Amino acid sequence: MINRRLLALMLRPLMHNRRRLLLALLLLMTATAMDVMGPWLTKHYIDIYLVPRDLRVEPLTLLLALYIATQGLAALGRYLQTLYFARIALDAVHALRKRVFRHVMHLPQHVHDATPTGEMVSRVTNDTDDLRELYVEFLATVLQNLMLLVGILIAMALMDVKLMLIAATLIPVAAVIIWGYQRASGPAAMEVRRLRAGQNARINEAIGGMSVLQAFNQTERFRARYHDLNVAQYHARLHTIRISALLLRSALDLVGVIILAALLIGYGLDSLVGGAEIGVLYAFVTWLGRVSEPLIEITQRFNIFQQAGVAGTRLLSLLDRPRAASGDDTKAIKSADYRLQALAFRHHGAERNTLDDVTLDIPEGAFIGLVGHTGSGKSTLLDLLGGLQPVTEGRLLLDGRPIETLSPSVINTVMASVPQEPFIRSTTLRDNLLMGIEADEAAMARALDEAQLRELIDRLPDGLDTPLGERGLTLSTGERQLLALARALLRQPRILLLDEATASVDSLTESRLNRALAGLKGRVTMVVVAHRLSTIAGADEVVVMQAGRIIEHGVPGQLLDNSDGAYYRLWHQPGNALN
Ligand SMILES: Nc1ncnc2c1ncn2[C@@H]1O[C@H](COP(=O)(O)OP(=O)(O)OP(=O)(O)O)[C@@H](O)[C@H]1O
């Protein structure tokens, strides 16, 4: 399961901090050497002074001072090395999180459309968090224990090779246990993770659509589905706990006890032939206790390694998804005009085209109204004009250049869009208006005036500093669109793409929007998807779409004279929003 790419993903962030890593390793080696000196000094005390009853003050004081000094240094080294390793681990996860989030921000639209928000959140937070645990635990615990193990084995070998070999049999046995654990717990850990991501997605969905769930009496059904996922996760977790409880502590403890018995027998045999010192037995029993502890720690931490492996695999699959392609032509846009030549578009994975054979010229400063039945492809065409989706066939030229060759920064300097569902953050009106750019009060006031929002702001006690609820819920649908329009206008765009939210805004909002568009006419290239005829009454040209194709286009007044035309039919359709 752990392959080279996974290792690279995990280890690369650690390598950014080589100097600190080296220093931490030096500290670790010093602390370990001081640590294993403890039993060695005690052995000397027993064999040289205690057993022969040679209790002279001077050498004993020296021994005691040495003992305290080594153990004090060991404690200090452990403390410093823990701090260093923790810093390295936190820096590593910080770098990884930045990398994953940056990648998520650049994924193509269709990936975000197809991935539940909770699932994506789970990748960026939980999965990177599992790697954090790996870094912290691995660096602070596993590395420390591995070093201790090596230190103890060296000290044992220096004292008695035969007894060291008996004690060392614990290591291959532990390796076999770890291997068995990894095989048994891998699929179970993956299942836990899958269920957790599912839970996140479900919670996100339920909270996002709570009002609908409540209105449609679906809360009980959602609760039951969440409960099922919860129970499944409970059992999956229990399964992983059973495996780790059996194989980790219990099995390793048992092996440790057996090896202790073998050591005692080995020591007994040595003493039969003479020469074995009691201090050696003391040192070995102490060291053996210290050997099994690191092994248990390492093995126990292995499930973290396991989980990190699963998280890393999921992160790799996310990072493997190609970023949205973007052009690199940074030449400024001279003329904000579009040319669409036999353009076709198919959604990722869809069986048929959403747009077909769309040919249209949009000169600079023109006001184009897009109309058509629901699902006819109006919003999709707007996405393409905004460069948010790639053209499947044909050509889409902006300023005479294929839009996919233009760098997004160049497009964004001339274009602003007002989507059907504007993204409103739960912060102040001002923050929502600025959305990351800098503008003075006069410019903001102008944008608010142009978007006809002045009255609303003046009505609010805190004006622009009024906080908005989650997703701007305190604003009506029409007001949210006007706010998004003000945000777009603040950027002084040369192209404005507006996707009218709904046919059912009140007449006041309707007239405000119309006034705003009339004010921009001729100055800004506007493509407006309209659900109400009034919105595009002042358009230079109306484009009627049906099933992804343009079936009619022309000056609105003239189209209405043609009683056989599609626009005429839409307009005269009883109950139609355009009517
Ligand atoms: N990911 C997708 N895969 C396949 N088809 C899709 C996908 N996303 C959208 N569609 C389809 O594309 C078609 C055009 O959708 P679009 O939102 O552009 O219509 P619209 O004319 O703007 O509708 P409305 O007036 O309701 O906003 C619809 O039939 C929609 O179901």
Side-chain angles (χ1 to χ4, degrees):
M1 201 182 64
I2 306 286
N3 54 36
R4 266 183 51 207
R5 289 196 58 220
L6 198 53
L7 272 180
L9 173 84
M10 293 172 176
L11 297 183
R12 214 170 65 183
L14 291 179
M15 292 302 147
H16 292 317
N17 242 333
R18 280 201 201 109
R19 268 185 55 194
R20 192 175 283 152
L21 194 63
L22 203 68
L23 198 63
L25 283 171
L26 278 175
L27 277 168
L28 176 59
M29 280 196 270
T30 316
T32 310
M34 294 297 122
D35 208 356
V36 291
M37 283 280 279
W40 187 81
L41 289 171
T42 317
K43 180 245 169 222
H44 271 267
Y45 166 66
I46 294 173
D47 288 340
I48 300 175
Y49 301 105
L50 192 63
V51 174
R53 302 224 160 257
D54 176 13
L55 299 175
R56 279 171 294 138
V57 176
E58 257 174 49
L60 279 182
T61 313
L62 189 68
L63 204 62
L64 185 67
L66 211 56
Y67 189 84
I68 292 173
T70 52
Q71 297 316 293
L73 277 177
L76 182 69
R78 270 198 300 270
Y79 163 71
L80 288 176
Q81 149 245 310
T82 306
L83 281 190
Y84 267 80
F85 279 136
R87 279 282 299 275
I88 296 167
L90 292 180
D91 286 350
V93 79
H94 178 73
L96 186 70
R97 220 169 238 174
K98 247 172 45 186
R99 179 179 166 201
V100 173
F101 192 58
R102 195 181 307 127
H103 191 76
V104 167
M105 301 274 271
H106 286 98
L107 284 174
Q109 193 76 25
H110 70 83
V111 176
H112 288 292
D113 288 347
T115 317
T117 314
E119 174 95 28
M120 208 56 112
V121 173
S122 187
R123 299 274 166 98
V124 180
T125 54
N126 297 350
D127 289 344
T128 49
D129 213 46
D130 281 346
L131 286 182
R132 180 191 57 81
E133 230 175 297
L134 171 79
Y135 295 140
V136 173
E137 293 290 341
F138 182 80
L139 290 175
T141 314
V142 177
L143 219 54
Q144 186 180 344
N145 283 304
L146 264 180
M147 192 68 83
L148 190 63
L149 197 66
V150 174
I152 290 175
L153 285 176
I154 292 173
M156 279 179 168
L158 288 176
M159 205 171 275
D160 189 323
V161 175
K162 197 175 82 189
L163 293 186
M164 183 279 272
L165 287 176
I166 296 176
T169 47
L170 194 57
I171 294 169
V173 178
V176 171
I177 291 175
I178 291 174
W179 175 78
Y181 172 73
Q182 197 195 358
R183 288 207 56 161
S185 70
M190 192 68 135
E191 177 68 2
V192 168
R193 190 136 309 263
R194 193 186 64 76
L195 289 166
R196 192 162 82 177
Q199 268 181 324
N200 276 352
R202 190 72 65 226
I203 292 174
N204 208 64
E205 198 179 35
I207 291 175
M210 192 53 79
S211 54
V212 179
L213 293 186
Q214 287 173 348
F216 282 78
N217 255 342
Q218 293 298 306
T219 44
E220 190 47 34
R221 196 166 66 88
F222 255 72
R223 192 202 57 75
R225 278 166 63 185
Y226 184 72
H227 173 76
D228 291 347
L229 267 178
N230 231 348
V231 171
Q233 206 207 14
Y234 171 85
H235 287 297
R237 268 209 184 281
L238 206 61
H239 185 53
T240 57
I241 290 168
R242 273 204 197 101
I243 297 170
S244 58
L246 173 72
L247 287 177
L248 298 186
R249 187 124 225 151
S250 315
L252 269 176
D253 267 349
L254 186 66
V255 178
V257 172
I258 294 170
I259 289 174
L260 179 64
L263 258 186
L264 288 173
I265 293 169
Y267 175 78
L269 291 177
D270 269 359
S271 62
L272 279 183
V273 288
E277 294 166 317
I278 187 74
V280 173
L281 182 63
Y282 168 82
F284 264 81
V285 170
T286 313
W287 277 328
L288 185 67
R290 305 286 299 275
V291 169
S292 50
E293 235 5 85
L295 279 176
I296 290 172
E297 286 277 344
I298 292 169
T299 321
Q300 273 188 337
R301 293 297 181 272
F302 214 86
N303 60 351
I304 289 168
F305 198 66
Q306 189 90 55
Q307 278 178 12
V310 175
T313 309
R314 286 162 53 93
L315 284 176
L316 269 185
S317 77
L318 180 71
L319 291 170
D320 278 348
R321 286 179 171 246
R323 288 180 172 206
S326 57
D328 50 11
D329 183 351
T330 51
K331 213 159 67 201
I333 288 176
K334 283 205 291 286
S335 171
D337 63 79
Y338 285 107
R339 291 183 77 185
L340 285 66
Q341 298 168 338
L343 175 150
F345 173 74
R346 181 174 292 201
H347 276 103
H348 186 81
E351 286 184 356
R352 55 182 192 84
N353 287 352
T354 301
L355 295 174
D356 249 325
D357 198 22
V358 176
T359 297
L360 186 67
D361 279 353
I362 306 177
E364 176 158 31
F367 176 3
I368 306 291
L370 273 181
V371 293
H373 287 297
T374 183
S376 55
K378 307 180 294 288
S379 304
T380 309
L381 183 54
L382 223 54
D383 279 352
L384 263 68
L385 293 174
L388 296 177
Q389 298 269 26
V391 174
T392 310
E393 275 172 49
R395 274 155 56 97
L396 169 50
L397 308 176
L398 171 58
D399 189 27
R401 291 174 277 167
I403 194 163
E404 64 276 11
T405 62
L406 301 181
S407 132
S409 59
V410 164
I411 299 179
N412 290 338
T413 51
V414 294
M415 182 189 297
S417 65
V418 181
Q420 249 181 25
E421 291 174 27
F423 172 53
I424 307 287
R425 293 177 54 221
S426 45
T427 157
T428 60
L429 262 165
R430 184 190 303 277
D431 287 347
N432 270 292
L433 185 61
L434 289 170
M435 200 73 168
I437 64 163
E438 286 187 7
D440 56 29
E441 293 293 324
M444 279 196 276
R446 207 166 38 243
L448 290 172
D449 286 337
E450 282 185 329
Q452 311 294 316
L453 263 182
R454 170 61 50 203
E455 269 176 62
L456 170 81
I457 308 289
D458 288 346
R459 245 191 298 131
L460 297 168
D462 292 326
L464 270 179
D465 294 311
T466 307
L468 298 176
E470 175 112 271
R471 294 193 294 153
L473 289 183
T474 49
L475 295 178
S476 74
T477 308
E479 287 164 346
R480 283 213 293 268
Q481 277 233 314
L482 290 179
L483 177 58
L485 178 63
R487 179 194 289 162
L489 296 180
L490 189 60
R491 285 160 166 72
Q492 299 192 313
R494 289 165 65 195
I495 299 171
L496 179 70
L497 305 175
L498 190 145
D499 201 345
E500 193 178 71
T502 164
S504 54
V505 295
D506 60 78
S507 53
L508 184 65
T509 313
E510 178 177 338
S511 65
R512 281 178 178 161
L513 188 62
N514 294 348
R515 260 186 286 155
L517 295 184
L520 298 172
K521 199 174 164 201
R523 285 195 287 140
V524 175
T525 308
M526 284 191 284
V527 184
V528 177
V529 170
H531 290 104
R532 292 182 307 269
L533 183 69
S534 73
T535 315
I536 49 158
D540 300 313
E541 186 172 352
V542 165
V543 173
V544 186
M545 299 197 59
Q546 185 179 308
R549 290 171 183 271
I550 295 180
I551 52 165
E552 194 173 84
H553 65 104
V555 180
Q558 287 173 7
L559 292 183
L560 278 181
D561 290 339
N562 176 11
S563 58
D564 291 331
Y567 187 55
Y568 183 93
R569 279 199 304 280
L570 270 177
W571 171 234
H572 289 281
Q573 199 169 290
N576 192 288
L578 287 168
N579 201 331

